[in-house]
C-alpha cells in the first residue's frame, strides 16, 4: 500500500499503514497489544519499588513525625494553658485577699481617726464647759454683790428715812440703833 | 475552531477515541523491548515526580502550623491511615506503607491522566493486572503463613447450615479467584471509558462549529465527573486491597 503512494503524502501514508498494522495486531485495543506488556510491567515494577522506597523511608516517617510533634505541641500547650489558668486563679485569690486586707485596714484607720477627733472634741467641749461655768459663777457672784450693795443702799435709805420720820414726829424717843434694827428686821 | 474544521470538513467525522491509549516508544520507533522507554514510562516517572513533590518537598518545612501543600500531604496520610486501621485494625499498620504507595500511585496516575495530551498509566490492563495479581499473591502467601491450613476456612463458612456449605465453598472459591480480574478491570475499565468518552465529545466540538459549544459543555461536565471517578477508583482499589488483606489476617468470617 505504501509503495503506491507518491511524493508529499508518503510520510503520512506510511504512518497510517504502520498504525493500521499495529491495530490489526492488537485487535483494535491498545490495551490488548501484548508486545507492550513487558515494557509496561518492567517500568511499573521499577516505579512502584522506587515509590515504595521513597514513601517508606522518607515521606511517611517524616509526616508521622510532624503529626506526632504537633500532637505533642498541642498537649504541651494545653498543659501550659492549664498551668496559666491555675496561676491566674491564684493571683485573683491573692488580689481578693489584698483587697479585703486593705478594706479592713481602712476601716481601722477610719475608726482610729474618728476616736481621736472625738477625744479632741470632748476635750474642747470640757474646756468650753469649764470656762462657761467659771464665767457664770463669776457673773452670779457679781450679781450677788450688786444685789447685796443695792440691799445695803435700800436699808440705809430706809433707815435714814425712818430716822428722819421719827425725829420729826417724836424727837424725844429717837433712837438711831432701834430704828436700824427695826428696819433690818422688816427688810429680812 | 472554524479553521480546524475546514480541512476535515464534511468529508467524514473521524474519531479515534482509542488512539490516546497507544503505547509508543519515546525515542526512535523500533520494536518494544522490555527496557524501551515509552510514553507510559514517562508518565509513570511524572507520577513519581508529582508524588515526591507533594509528599517529600511539600513536607520539607516540617511546619508545626502546616502550609497548604503540607496539609494536603498530611490529609492524604491521615486519610489512608484511617482507612487501613478501620479495615485491618492496629495490626494492619505494617501494611500501611504498601497500601499508601498503591493509593498515591493510582491516584496520581488517574489525575495526571486527565490533563490534555497526557497518557493514563492506569488505563492499561497490564498495569492494573500486575498490581491486582501482586495483591492476590500477597493475600495467599500471608494467609497461609499466618493461619496455615486454617486459611482455607475462608471458603468454609461455619455460620451457614452444613448442607449449604459445599455450595457456598464453591461460590467462595470462584469469587476468590475472580478477585484479581475484577480488581484490575474495574480500574482500567473506568479510566479507559471516561477518557474515550471525553475524546468522542472532543471530536464533535470542531465538527459542529458554533453548536460545538454543546459537546464542549458536556466535556466540562464529564471532566468534573472524571475527576471524581479518578479519586473514587483509587480509593476503591486501596480499600479493596485492605479488605482482601483482612481475609488473609482473619480468614474465619
Amino acid at each position: 500500500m505504501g509503495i503506491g503512494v507518491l511524493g508529499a503524502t508518503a510520510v503520512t501514508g506510511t504512518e497510517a499503514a504502520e498504525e493500521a498494522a499495529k491495530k490489526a495486531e492488537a485487535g483494535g485495543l491498545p490495551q490488548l497489544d501484548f508486545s507492550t506488556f513487558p515494557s509496561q510491567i518492567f517500568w511499573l515494577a521499577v516505579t512502584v519499588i522506587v515509590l515504595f522506597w521513597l514513601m517508606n523511608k522518607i515521606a511517611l516517617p517524616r509526616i508521622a513525625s510532624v503529626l506526632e510533634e504537633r500532637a505533642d505541641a498541642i498537649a504541651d500547650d494545653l498543659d501550659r494553658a492549664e498551668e496559666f489558668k491555675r496561676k491566674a486563679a491564684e493571683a485573683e485569690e491573692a488580689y481578693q485577699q489584698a483587697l479585703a486586707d486593705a478594706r479592713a485596714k481602712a476601716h481601722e484607720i477610719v475608726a482610729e481617726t474618728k476616736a481621736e477627733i472625738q477625744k479632741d472634741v470632748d476635750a474642747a467641749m470640757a474646756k468650753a464647759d469649764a470656762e462657761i461655768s467659771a464665767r457664770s459663777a463669776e457673773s452670779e457672784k457679781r450679781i450677788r454683790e450688786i444685789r447685796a450693795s443695792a440691799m445695803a443702799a435700800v436699808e440705809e435709805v430706809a433707815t435714814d428715812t425712818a430716822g428722819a420720820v421719827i425725829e420729826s414726829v417724836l424727837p424725844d424717843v429717837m433712837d438711831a440703833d432701834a430704828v436700824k434694827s427695826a428696819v433690818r428686821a422688816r427688810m429680812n | 475552531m472554524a479553521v480546524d474544521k475546514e480541512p476535515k470538513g464534511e468529508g467524514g467525522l473521524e474519531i479515534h477515541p482509542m488512539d490516546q491509549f497507544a503505547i509508543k516508544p519515546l525515542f526512535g520507533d523500533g520494536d518494544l523491548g522490555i527496557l524501551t522507554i515509552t510514553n507510559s514510562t514517562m508518565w509513570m516517572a511524572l507520577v513519581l515526580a508529582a508524588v515526591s513533590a507533594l509528599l517529600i518537598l511539600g513536607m520539607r518545612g516540617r511546619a508545626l502550623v502546616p502550609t497548604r501543600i503540607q496539609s494536603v500531604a498530611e490529609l492524604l496520610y491521615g486519610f489512608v491511615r484511617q482507612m487501613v486501621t478501620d479495615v485491618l485494625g492496629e495490626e494492619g499498620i505494617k501494611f500501611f506503607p504498601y497500601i499508601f504507595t498503591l493509593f498515591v500511585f493510582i491516584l496520581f496516575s488517574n489525575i495526571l491522566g486527565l490533563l490534555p495530551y497526557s497518557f493514563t498509566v492506569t488505563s492499561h490492563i497490564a498495569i492494573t493486572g500486575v498490581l491486582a495479581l501482586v495483591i492476590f499473591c500477597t493475600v495467599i502467601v500471608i494467609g497461609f503463613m499466618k493461619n496455615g491450613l486454617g486459611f482455607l476456612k475462608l471458603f468454609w463458612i461455619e455460620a451457614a447450615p452444613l448442607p449449604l456449605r459445599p455450595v457456598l465453598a464453591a461460590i467462595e472459591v470462584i469469587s476468590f479467584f475472580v478477585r484479581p480480574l475484577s480488581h484490575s478491570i474495574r480500574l482500567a475499565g473506568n479510566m479507559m471509558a471516561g477518557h474515550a468518552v471525553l475524546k468522542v465529545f472532543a471530536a464533535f466540538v470542531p465538527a459542529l462549529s458554533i453548536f460545538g459549544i454543546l459537546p464542549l459543555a458536556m466535556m466540562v461536565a464529564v471532566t468534573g465527573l472524571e475527576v471524581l471517578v479518578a479519586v473514587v477508583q483509587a480509593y476503591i482499589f486501596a480499600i479493596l486491597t485492605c479488605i482482601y488483606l483482612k481475609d488473609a489476617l482473619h480468614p474465619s468470617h
Side-chain angles (χ1 to χ4, degrees):
Chain A
M1 181 187 166
I3 306 155
V5 182
L6 293 165
T9 52
V11 181
T12 48
T14 45
E15 255 178 27
E18 232 174 298
E19 248 168 46
K22 233 183 223 169
K23 255 182 209 163
E25 191 182 25
L29 267 184
Q31 274 87 344
L32 296 178
D33 180 358
F34 291 104
S35 70
T36 67
F37 277 31
S39 157
Q40 283 198 66
I41 292 168
F42 172 75
W43 288 114
L44 172 69
V46 171
T47 310
V48 169
I49 287 168
V50 171
L51 188 64
F52 179 73
W53 186 84
L54 285 176
M55 294 297 106
N56 199 29
K57 291 287 169 210
I58 304 174
L60 296 179
R62 189 180 285 182
I63 297 174
S65 77
V66 167
L67 291 179
E68 200 172 319
E69 269 166 32
R70 181 170 312 147
D72 284 356
I74 289 171
D76 277 2
D77 284 356
L78 284 179
D79 283 355
R80 275 228 304 280
E82 196 63 36
E83 175 79 19
F84 283 144
K85 201 173 158 190
R86 206 172 52 69
K87 272 188 186 158
E90 260 169 32
E92 157 112 37
E93 207 171 298
Y95 165 76
Q96 291 293 356
Q97 183 65 44
L99 201 63
D101 283 356
R103 210 167 264 158
K105 200 162 188 188
H107 275 307
E108 207 172 287
I109 289 168
V110 167
E112 223 166 72
T113 312
K114 218 183 231 173
E116 231 161 72
I117 291 168
Q118 191 61 51
K119 216 160 77 188
D120 286 355
V121 168
D122 285 353
M125 289 280 275
K127 202 173 154 199
D129 279 351
E131 206 166 302
I132 288 166
S133 58
R135 286 231 185 119
S136 66
E138 201 178 308
S139 304
E140 269 169 25
K141 200 174 121 201
R142 282 228 322 261
I143 290 166
R144 254 199 319 275
E145 274 170 13
I146 291 166
R147 189 194 269 166
S149 72
M151 286 302 271
V154 167
E155 194 180 315
E156 204 180 303
V157 167
T159 309
D160 282 354
T161 311
V165 167
I166 290 166
E167 213 169 33
S168 62
V169 177
L170 300 166
D172 303 339
V173 281
M174 170 61 189
D175 181 1
D177 285 340
V179 172
K180 210 173 187 173
S181 58
V183 169
R184 189 164 291 161
R186 278 306 264 264
M187 289 275 287
N188 294 333
Chain B
M1 230 184 272
V3 184
D4 254 2
K5 188 197 151 201
E6 290 310 323
K8 282 184 188 172
E10 285 76 39
L13 186 63
E14 282 197 43
I15 304 173
H16 300 294
M18 293 303 159
D19 281 2
Q20 59 177 323
F21 303 117
I23 290 186
K24 303 176 211 100
L26 281 187
F27 311 106
D29 45 16
D31 277 343
L32 285 169
I34 189 166
L35 293 177
T36 310
I37 294 174
T38 64
N39 47 355
S40 171
T41 315
M42 182 183 83
W43 281 97
M44 279 191 238
L46 287 174
V47 167
L48 197 59
V51 172
S52 304
L54 175 61
L55 294 176
I56 296 176
L57 294 184
M59 287 301 293
R60 200 177 36 184
R62 292 166 171 268
L64 203 57
V65 177
T67 56
R68 283 183 207 153
I69 291 184
Q70 191 183 325
S71 33
V72 171
E74 285 172 9
L75 275 176
L76 213 55
Y77 177 96
F79 174 73
V80 178
R81 199 180 171 92
Q82 187 66 46
M83 178 172 75
V84 171
T85 45
D86 279 355
V87 178
L88 292 173
E90 281 307 313
E91 61 176 328
I93 289 302
K94 58 177 176 286
F95 297 110
F96 169 64
Y98 183 61
I99 290 165
F100 187 82
T101 306
L102 269 178
F103 179 72
V104 291
F105 177 74
I106 295 167
L107 180 68
F108 276 73
S109 300
N110 293 353
I111 289 175
L112 288 185
L114 282 172
L115 298 173
Y117 299 105
S118 71
F119 174 87
T120 316
V121 176
T122 40
S123 67
H124 274 259
I125 195 77
I127 301 292
T128 60
V130 167
L131 292 176
L133 271 177
V134 169
I135 292 159
F136 182 70
C137 295
T138 310
V139 167
I140 292 175
V141 170
I142 291 175
F144 279 115
M145 261 169 49
K146 277 202 79 113
N147 310 291
L149 286 178
F151 181 55
L152 295 176
K153 275 189 191 151
L154 181 59
F155 309 114
W156 194 249
I157 298 155
E158 276 162 357
L162 193 58
L164 271 177
R165 282 183 207 170
V167 183
L168 286 175
I171 294 172
E172 287 286 324
V173 168
I174 292 168
S175 80
F176 185 77
F177 282 96
V178 168
R179 274 178 187 180
L181 202 65
S182 64
H183 203 182
S184 56
I185 289 180
R186 179 182 302 111
L187 176 56
N190 267 289
M191 287 304 111
M192 195 179 85
H195 289 74
V197 165
L198 281 177
K199 197 79 177 181
V200 170
F201 276 120
F204 278 116
V205 174
L208 293 179
S209 101
I210 187 69
F211 296 107
I213 194 84
L214 295 173
L216 190 64
M218 271 309 283
M219 277 181 75
V220 173
V222 172
T223 303
L225 182 70
E226 282 304 298
V227 172
L228 185 71
V229 169
V231 176
V232 167
Q233 286 303 321
Y235 172 68
I236 289 176
F237 198 94
I239 201 158
L240 281 177
T241 305
C242 290
I243 290 169
Y244 296 163
L245 281 170
K246 190 183 167 214
D247 281 347
L249 297 175
H250 309 288
S252 36
H253 286 260

